[in-house]
Amino acid sequence: MTHPAQPKASHFINGAYVEDTSGTPIPVIYAATGEEIATVYAATPAIVEQALTSAQAAQKIWAKTAPTERGRVLRRAADIMRERNHDLSVLETYDTGKPLQETLVADATSGADALEYFGGLAASLTGEHIPLGEDWVYTIREPLGLCVGIGAWNYPTQIACWKGAPALACGNSMVFKPSETTPLCALKVAEILIEAGAPAGLFNVVQGMGEVGGQLVTDPRVDKVSLTGSVPTGKKVYAAAAEGMKHVTMELGGKSPMLVFEDADIENAISGAINGNFYSSGQVCSNGTRVFVHKDIKEKFLARLAERTATAKLGDPMDEEVNFGPMVTENQMNIVLGYIEKGKAEGARLICGGGRAEMDGYYVQPTVFADVTDDMTIAREEIFGPVMCVLDFDSEDEVVARANDTEFGLSAGVFTKDFTRAHRVIGQLEAGSCFINSYNDAPVEAPFGGVKASGVGRENSKEAIKHFSQVKSVYVRMGDCEAAF
Ligand code: NDP
């Protein structure tokens, strides 16, 4: 019997599942058990070609479709996703290992929000009229054309929707390549869009490793590349896209600061630190992994943090009581364990966790280090696992300077009851997505993205429209056209 997570085929092209077993097999491993639950095959050049050809043809039809109709298709897709939330969440859990308790509320639901939001905006994407005396200029907001989306493995449904929904709302088509680690969920997004009435070829999914991503990025028919991934991959993809003068959105990694001042509500600040370090077992790009705590409240903060972290429920991700799952792969687990060893070796004080959990699957204990200093490896590099670094500080100016002393700039958070200070400090932090007395909220209505090495462009909100469309201006002369000779 095939596993319930086994997809009908590896790719979704031109409105239907497509298989080509001559590509490299990619085993899909359930992180909670290490069991192989499905196999997909990397796209061969012929599959990539089919996807690009069908996307190019569909885009021409879609761009001529009335915007209200485009919006309706996206909103219907949102409704279908919500109706199937349970099944989609189970699949997301198989794909990533994240607990069902999380996937039921954070993945298909977030994808549906994006489809609904951008579906609602589709009909309002207009240009403007600029009067110039007798003459005038009008502008037209046009689609970019054929877009490529490349996803990371932590939020496979959400990433496909966060890229696909604004792209489609603007009249583009998309070829999406999921991470080879989590290839299943994006296929369901493609299937649902077809069911909702999207033309065949509008949203295609092809599987493969970085090599397939590279083929897509360098194809001359592609107008835009939107990547969610690490900074090193972002640099490669950005450079390849620049070669063809393509538009880009880069949603990359981070090492974000969370600042807890001495007047903060400690329980709330600990909630923020837990959400911003242990949700999805720490596999979240915007996580506040450098938790700067004022020295006056540090020991109290650490004591309560350790108490609360000890109540994390590790176990079978399908059990809705479980709130802490495994790392996505054995390899990711080993990377995280390597960082934990570096933390110990470099002299950080281990408060809790500190190793692999004794159970099947790729579980790492939620880990907190205190007395972390700015130069330690665990304070400088993105770990992408459940490892929280607590650093002390004395003064506001000092902590702002230290928080900004990083190549990254994705997120930042401030916990304080002093609202003047909160806004003053947030104003100085070099980060794209910030929080006051909260952490890691990412509603579709708010722009999301980073500064510095953490990225270029923004996802979600009206900002995303700017990154999936371009403006044509048309000068209209009412009188004669004058010339020098
Ligand atoms: P990677 O950078 O390893 O991979 C991202 C995607 O790019 C994958 O689909 C990968 O394929 C593909 N890829 C790799 N090399 C190339 C290439 N040369 N050309 C085109 N595509 C390529 O990231 P991970 O999947 O390991 O995800 C973790 C990273 O993603 C973290 O750094 C995290 O911070 C970041 N991230 C950022 C988010 C944000 O919104 N800012 C959100 C979530 C994660 P394959 O893996 O199949 O080889």
Side-chain angles (χ1 to χ4, degrees):
M1 199 188 102
T2 54
H3 194 278
Q6 182 73 45
K8 290 185 191 148
S10 300
H11 318 288
F12 197 95
I13 299 174
N14 206 26
Y17 278 97
V18 176
E19 191 55 283
D20 179 355
T21 53
S22 63
T24 309
I26 303 174
V28 186
I29 309 291
Y30 182 37
T33 59
E35 173 201 2
E36 184 172 330
I37 53 169
T39 308
V40 296
Y41 296 86
T44 56
I47 287 286
V48 171
E49 183 57 33
Q50 275 181 42
L52 290 170
T53 310
S54 71
Q56 205 179 22
Q59 196 269 327
K60 303 230 176 330
I61 299 166
W62 186 242
K64 288 193 189 124
T65 304
T68 37
E69 172 57 17
R70 295 208 295 253
R72 204 173 299 131
V73 169
L74 297 186
R75 283 184 286 109
R76 249 186 246 131
D79 290 345
I80 299 172
M81 284 192 91
R82 289 210 179 89
E83 279 159 23
R84 300 193 193 149
N85 184 46
H86 193 272
D87 287 355
L88 294 170
S89 303
V90 168
L91 187 69
E92 176 96 18
T93 291
Y94 277 130
D95 221 2
T96 61
K98 291 185 295 182
L100 194 57
Q101 190 191 88
E102 282 187 20
T103 56
L104 282 169
V105 296
D107 294 283
T109 52
S110 163
D113 283 355
L115 289 160
E116 182 174 0
Y117 177 85
F118 288 106
L121 277 189
S124 66
L125 307 179
T126 55
E128 59 179 344
H129 173 265
I130 304 163
L132 295 167
E134 272 194 3
D135 298 348
W136 77 88
V137 167
Y138 66 93
T139 65
I140 306 169
R141 186 156 287 281
E142 294 186 333
L144 298 175
L146 200 174
C147 302
V148 160
I150 301 178
W153 39 256
N154 53 350
Y155 285 85
T157 305
Q158 187 189 81
I159 293 173
C161 293
W162 281 18
K163 297 189 187 308
L168 270 44
C170 292
N172 304 286
S173 60
M174 180 164 273
V175 177
F176 185 81
K177 189 202 84 67
S179 163
E180 66 174 286
T181 306
T182 52
L184 304 176
C185 295
L187 292 167
K188 286 287 164 193
V189 175
E191 202 182 312
I192 286 170
L193 279 163
I194 286 293
E195 222 178 305
L202 189 67
F203 184 85
N204 305 281
V205 176
V206 296
Q207 308 294 347
M209 280 71 97
E211 196 192 336
V212 170
Q215 282 168 34
L216 293 169
V217 173
T218 49
D219 191 281
R221 287 165 288 187
V222 170
D223 301 291
K224 151 105 197 186
V225 180
S226 177
L227 169 84
T228 297
S230 61
V231 173
T233 302
K235 286 181 181 167
K236 277 190 231 158
V237 172
Y238 201 171
E243 204 44 50
M245 211 57 88
K246 299 176 200 299
H247 297 252
V248 294
T249 298
M250 295 281 143
E251 293 294 351
L252 309 176
K255 190 76 195 176
S256 300
M258 184 184 299
L259 279 47
V260 184
F261 285 93
E262 63 277 20
D263 65 340
D265 178 313
I266 290 201
E267 288 302 318
N268 275 337
I270 291 170
S271 298
I274 288 173
N275 290 342
N277 281 271
F278 299 142
Y279 200 72
S280 301
S281 301
Q283 302 166 114
V284 181
C285 51
S286 49
N287 270 356
T289 46
R290 289 184 297 144
V291 182
F292 291 91
V293 182
H294 192 276
K295 65 175 187 4
D296 290 354
I297 56 164
K298 172 183 127 181
E299 290 307 333
K300 194 172 164 198
F301 180 94
L302 287 171
R304 264 305 277 158
L305 174 64
E307 263 174 35
R308 286 179 57 179
T309 303
T311 66
K313 191 151 190 265
L314 281 68
D316 175 3
M318 294 297 174
D319 173 353
E320 285 184 45
E321 294 298 308
V322 165
N323 53 27
F324 190 91
M327 297 288 96
V328 72
T329 56
E330 187 173 16
N331 183 44
Q332 187 63 17
M333 176 185 74
N334 289 331
I335 291 171
V336 175
L337 292 174
Y339 276 111
I340 291 175
E341 290 314 309
K342 266 191 198 138
K344 291 176 189 166
E346 291 181 9
R349 171 162 57 112
L350 188 64
I351 299 293
C352 55
R356 189 173 178 174
E358 283 179 18
M359 56 209 303
D360 288 342
Y362 312 131
Y363 291 80
V364 174
Q365 296 167 330
T367 296
V368 178
F369 281 111
D371 304 338
V372 176
T373 53
D374 296 345
D375 55 343
M376 287 182 187
T377 310
I378 53 170
R380 303 218 65 81
E381 296 181 13
E382 184 183 46
I383 299 174
F384 225 58
V387 182
M388 187 193 305
C389 295
V390 178
L391 306 94
D392 324 339
F393 73 93
D394 256 322
S395 78
E396 185 181 307
D397 287 347
E398 168 217 330
V399 76
V400 167
R402 289 169 60 201
N404 286 337
D405 182 19
T406 167
E407 64 165 323
F408 300 108
L410 186 48
S411 290
V414 174
F415 281 85
T416 175
K417 289 194 189 114
D418 177 346
F419 261 68
T420 312
R421 170 155 66 190
H423 294 293
R424 183 173 63 232
V425 169
I426 280 289
Q428 296 172 79
L429 291 174
E430 296 164 1
S433 303
C434 297
F435 312 92
I436 293 177
N437 292 331
S438 188
Y439 207 85
N440 263 355
D441 313 80
V444 67
E445 296 88 342
F448 181 79
V451 301
K452 294 158 74 178
S454 290
V456 174
R458 290 292 176 271
E459 296 198 304
N460 288 344
S461 79
K462 290 181 200 152
E463 286 296 311
I465 296 297
K466 295 182 192 156
H467 300 287
F468 279 107
S469 62
Q470 58 196 341
V471 170
K472 175 185 277 177
S473 77
V474 183
Y475 189 106
V476 181
R477 184 177 292 282
M478 297 302 285
D480 293 336
C481 184
E482 288 176 18
F485 54 87

